[in-house]
Amino acid sequence: ILSTDAPGISFIRDYAKRVPLVVLNRPLEGVASVVPDPRIGTVRAEPAETLAVTYVAGLAASWANQSRWAAVHDIGNRMGFKVNQIGPVHPTVEGGYQAALALEGEGTTAIITYNDLIAVGIVLRFTADGVNVPGDVSVIGFDNTLIAPVVTPPITSIRLSCPALSLQNFCSRKGRAVI
């Protein structure tokens, strides 16, 4: 089971020829892949009164980043929101600090970030600068990590339910254990 964007496509395909492999969070033709649909969580997370949404991009080459931006962009357009993207930034708290500096005073009413760490950095920076989160701006992350509820104020996080049953079903049909 491979759950990182780090290896290149040719490496993954070559490796899949030698050992049984399932790739998570990245569709790859010719290799078994399990990918979540970020549109479901995004629709639930965007506040109804939101007028201007900014997506803070993570790693530019990441399939997860591209699919999350596509979901935010598509839903924003369908629901009539102004949608913008900034970044990419490092998918870290420091990357969130940098994004916050670029976003302050831009008129964004909701920020959706590539991951929770970026969201945490934005919340910490905004709070230090006197921006009222979530009063003035909503900050929403992805992945529902353990850090999301620990920050003050806690961030809203989009949880993409891991298709564990599909993965378990795939592996059991192939006679392989699920790790």
Side-chain angles (χ1 to χ4, degrees):
I1 297 174
L2 179 66
S3 64
T4 179
D5 285 329
I9 293 171
S10 58
F11 174 84
I12 294 172
R13 285 196 174 123
D14 182 53
Y15 196 71
K17 291 176 186 173
R18 293 182 278 137
V19 298
L21 182 66
V22 176
V23 179
L24 302 179
N25 290 328
R26 182 178 186 176
L28 194 55
E29 190 174 328
V31 179
S33 302
V34 179
V35 294
D37 186 347
R39 293 173 294 181
I40 296 166
T42 305
V43 170
R44 292 180 183 153
E46 290 184 8
E49 70 278 0
T50 299
L51 300 175
V53 177
T54 298
Y55 175 75
V56 180
L59 304 171
S62 163
W63 176 85
N65 181 65
Q66 293 168 10
S67 73
R68 291 169 185 186
W69 163 242
V72 170
H73 185 263
D74 180 51
I75 291 164
N77 285 337
R78 288 183 188 194
M79 298 179 84
F81 303 152
K82 177 183 170 195
V83 182
N84 184 37
Q85 180 183 153
I86 67 164
V89 299
H90 289 284
T92 62
V93 173
E94 180 60 36
Y97 283 178
Q98 294 169 358
L101 293 173
L103 288 165
E104 282 189 20
E106 290 295 314
T108 295
T109 54
I111 300 166
I112 300 176
T113 65
Y114 166 74
N115 68 9
D116 290 343
L117 291 174
I118 295 170
V120 167
I122 291 171
V123 167
L124 293 174
R125 184 73 218 183
F126 277 3
T127 302
D129 291 347
V131 177
N132 181 355
V133 178
D136 296 332
V137 63
S138 300
V139 179
I140 303 163
F142 263 99
D143 300 330
N144 198 32
T145 59
L146 294 175
I147 197 167
V150 176
V151 180
T152 302
I155 62 167
T156 300
S157 185
I158 299 169
R159 178 177 174 260
L160 299 176
S161 54
C162 179
L165 293 177
S166 297
L167 180 59
Q168 184 175 14
N169 183 33
F170 172 83
C171 290
S172 66
R173 283 189 288 127
K174 299 291 185 180
R176 299 179 183 110
V178 178
I179 299 172

